[in-house]
Amino acid sequence: ENIAAIHDVPSDKILAAAFAAAAKAGGAPGNPSRLAPVVDGGALPSDPFTPAAPAISANVPVMIGWNKDEWSLFAASEPWFGKLTEAELAERAKQVAGDKAEALLAAFKKLHPDYSPTYLMNDFTTNMRMFIGSVTLAERKAAQNAAPVYLYNLVWETPVGGGIFKSPHTLEMPFVFNNVDKSRPLVGPGDAPEKMAAQMSDAWIAFARTGDPNTASIPKWPPYDAKRRATMTFDIESKVVDDPLSEVRKILQG
């Protein structure tokens, strides 16, 4: 009844309400991560991008992407991380991918022949969540044929922790905001992070200003479409790759 009054509510009461709502929704105890907007037919008439891109923002350009090893940031604290065996990998793969597990595992081994079972398992979660979700959104946005969508993939690996994280979730943030000196615990020493930041921050600033991320700092970045599937692959030497992880995409979309 009084939106302004929320500013006077103590933060501990807001947190308590968040945890209570999460518990009511079936979330894990002490984890409010399921507190989220819901489709109500009014303020949120439908799921964004399901089953199609929203008409209300058809003329708004979009940039979306994923990091090569997103899930390592979350999995590194798991007791199995770094210890997973081939047999355990096969079992876990079936749990998360069902009848697609065998084909996906073969595709991941082809893509990353140097990856241990731990990082191959990381491939499963990263690609079944972040990769295919980004591709689906890009496809649906491109299908509107109204405003462009640009897809990217960050593959540069941070040396922090002996390289344990590879290209984890959130690694792009210090590059996008060009504050690597404040983010050395994540990006590591040297000038390589600064080279990444020079490219990515330029692209993000250009996109924010014009809706087009192209700058002199990176190769020509075409909009995404379901035919070419052009994807900017960010690395020290960035390049555009058409339909990266093609075999994985086809299996997941099959």
Side-chain angles (χ1 to χ4, degrees), residues 208-234:
R209 284 175 171 163
T210 68
D212 184 336
N214 281 285
T215 72
S217 302
I218 58 173
K220 177 66 177 176
W221 186 355
Y224 188 88
D225 62 60
K227 183 178 180 180
R228 179 179 173 184
R229 299 182 183 275
T231 305
M232 179 60 70
T233 304
F234 280 107

Side-chain angles (χ1 to χ4, degrees), residues 84-223:
L84 205 66
T85 65
E86 286 285 350
E88 290 169 336
L89 168 62
E91 182 180 348
R92 286 175 177 266
K94 287 181 181 177
Q95 290 174 354
V96 300
D99 58 3
K100 295 182 178 181
E102 190 174 339
L104 283 171
L105 184 54
F108 292 144
K109 285 184 174 181
K110 198 183 303 181
L111 282 167
H112 302 134
D114 58 326
Y115 273 21
S116 68
T118 290
Y119 288 100
L120 289 170
M121 188 64 232
N122 194 61
D123 265 343
F124 271 91
T125 313
T126 295
N127 288 283
M128 291 181 70
R129 289 177 179 240
M130 287 76 169
F131 163 65
I132 201 62
S134 297
V135 167
T136 299
L137 188 150
E139 287 178 346
R140 292 175 180 175
K141 178 66 179 177
Q144 286 184 310
N145 200 29
V149 55
Y150 298 90
L151 187 67
Y152 73 88
N153 178 208
L154 174 60
V155 301
W156 183 83
E157 298 183 358
T158 174
V160 167
I164 188 174
F165 297 108
K166 297 188 181 294
S167 303
H169 188 64
T170 74
L171 182 61
E172 79 283 2
M173 292 184 182
F175 305 147
V176 168
F177 290 101
N178 201 358
N179 58 7
V180 295
D181 286 340
K182 296 181 179 180
S183 310
R184 292 295 180 180
L186 176 61
V187 301
D191 61 357
E194 293 177 353
K195 292 179 180 178
M196 295 301 303
Q199 298 178 75
M200 296 187 77
S201 63
D202 270 5
W204 262 249
I205 289 169
F207 181 77
R209 284 175 171 163
T210 68
D212 184 336
N214 281 285
T215 72
S217 302
I218 58 173
K220 177 66 177 176
W221 186 355

